[in-house]
Amino acid sequence: KAGVTQTPRYLIKTRGQQVTLSCSPISGHRSVSWYQQTPGQGLQFLFEYFSETQRNKGNFPGRFSGRQFSNSRSEMNVSTLELGDSALYLCASSLAGQTSTDTQYFGPGTRLTVL
Amino acid sequence: AQSVTQPDIHITVSEGASLELRCNYSYGATPYLFWYVQSPGQGLQLLLKYFSGDTLVQGIKGFEAEFKRSQSSFNLRKPSVHWSDAAEYFCAVGAYNQGGKLIFGQGTELSVKP
């Protein structure tokens, strides 16, 4: 079974631009979560989508948004990029997003650099 | 609110030596606890998880962890470290009413001396 894939793997943008990152979950998984990883703040939860609905949201500004499609693929968008948005963005998928019963599988991440 | 603390930012052990990585959590009810490993340039791989039952949990790659409610701890152990274990290790906590959301500790970077 193919793992979680994320595209692109690397991205360079300039301040003020917007960016869209994509995540394809493992086949059959309906929950996709997004995390931001930086040296200073570590791994922080952005949001979770389940069956095309946002189910949980972390403490990030509205510039960060996401969506999930009917095939469970998910995208996250960051508008008006700031230097501090430079990070590794990880997505994780699981069957139903219940941490009590499911295992979350992480993708390799997208490395975003904002200049 | 949930939180996870990994007191050790960086640990160095000799190959063949035993390893213990510390993790303390804060959560009002019984938490769901996880250890993940991240190699450079890679995503996170699940080593083991605890939901309930036996407090000593076995994972992949020879790792184990023990849940101690009285100490709010979930320390990761390995009896004999291999050079390939050098990586960053993350402890995480989840909750039954928060879907797939995980709260991660800051991570412990493990270096292995030959």
Side-chain angles (χ1 to χ4, degrees):
Chain A
K1 202 182 247 191
V4 178
T5 57
Q6 293 187 245
T7 56
R9 291 292 310 276
Y10 301 91
L11 206 48
I12 299 175
K13 293 286 188 178
T14 56
R15 278 180 298 176
Q17 287 187 309
Q18 77 163 19
V19 67
T20 299
L21 312 181
S22 179
C23 173
S24 292
I26 291 172
S27 178
H29 286 192
R30 294 166 62 194
S31 167
V32 174
S33 297
W34 288 89
Y35 293 84
Q36 181 196 63
Q37 185 177 23
T38 59
Q41 300 298 316
L43 277 155
Q44 294 186 287
F45 174 78
L46 279 156
F47 29 65
E48 181 207 1
Y49 285 86
F50 178 76
S51 292
E52 302 179 64
T53 301
Q54 188 181 85
R55 185 160 65 176
N56 280 295
K57 190 176 189 306
N59 190 25
F60 277 81
R63 300 185 297 106
F64 291 82
S65 63
R67 59 178 175 167
Q68 186 180 34
F69 302 94
S70 58
N71 62 358
S72 293
R73 188 177 71 85
S74 177
E75 290 180 347
M76 67 163 282
N77 183 278
V78 188
S79 62
T80 319
L81 284 166
E82 300 177 0
L83 295 178
D85 297 333
S86 295
L88 180 67
Y89 290 88
L90 294 163
C91 88
S93 79
S94 67
L95 280 169
Q98 297 300 324
T99 54
S100 60
T101 54
D102 295 344
T103 294
Q104 289 202 48
Y105 295 88
F106 282 78
T110 293
R111 172 74 63 186
L112 172 65
T113 301
V114 182
L115 302 175
Chain B
Q2 302 153 266
S3 67
V4 179
T5 302
Q6 293 179 247
D8 304 305
I9 296 173
H10 189 203
I11 282 182
T12 300
V13 299
S14 298
E15 190 168 17
S18 64
L19 170 71
E20 182 168 27
L21 302 182
R22 296 184 290 166
C23 172
N24 293 99
Y25 68 89
S26 173
Y27 183 58
T30 299
Y32 306 131
L33 295 162
F34 307 81
W35 274 100
Y36 282 87
V37 62
Q38 185 179 34
S39 298
Q42 305 290 317
L44 278 71
Q45 181 183 23
L46 179 69
L47 287 174
L48 46 79
K49 58 187 177 183
Y50 172 79
F51 294 150
S52 64
D54 193 347
T55 56
L56 186 62
V57 181
Q58 301 297 321
I60 63 171
K61 304 185 180 188
F63 286 94
E64 67 178 26
E66 185 171 13
F67 171 61
K68 292 186 177 179
R69 185 189 300 276
S70 62
Q71 298 176 20
S72 298
S73 69
F74 188 58
N75 294 347
L76 181 72
R77 300 193 295 246
K78 186 169 185 178
S80 177
V81 168
H82 188 262
W83 63 266
S84 61
D85 293 325
E88 189 149 23
Y89 292 80
F90 293 92
C91 181
V93 62
Y96 80 97
N97 61 346
Q98 294 187 24
K101 177 180 178 181
L102 294 176
I103 305 297
F104 284 88
Q106 285 292 94
T108 297
E109 185 179 354
L110 172 66
S111 298
V112 180
K113 289 191 300 185

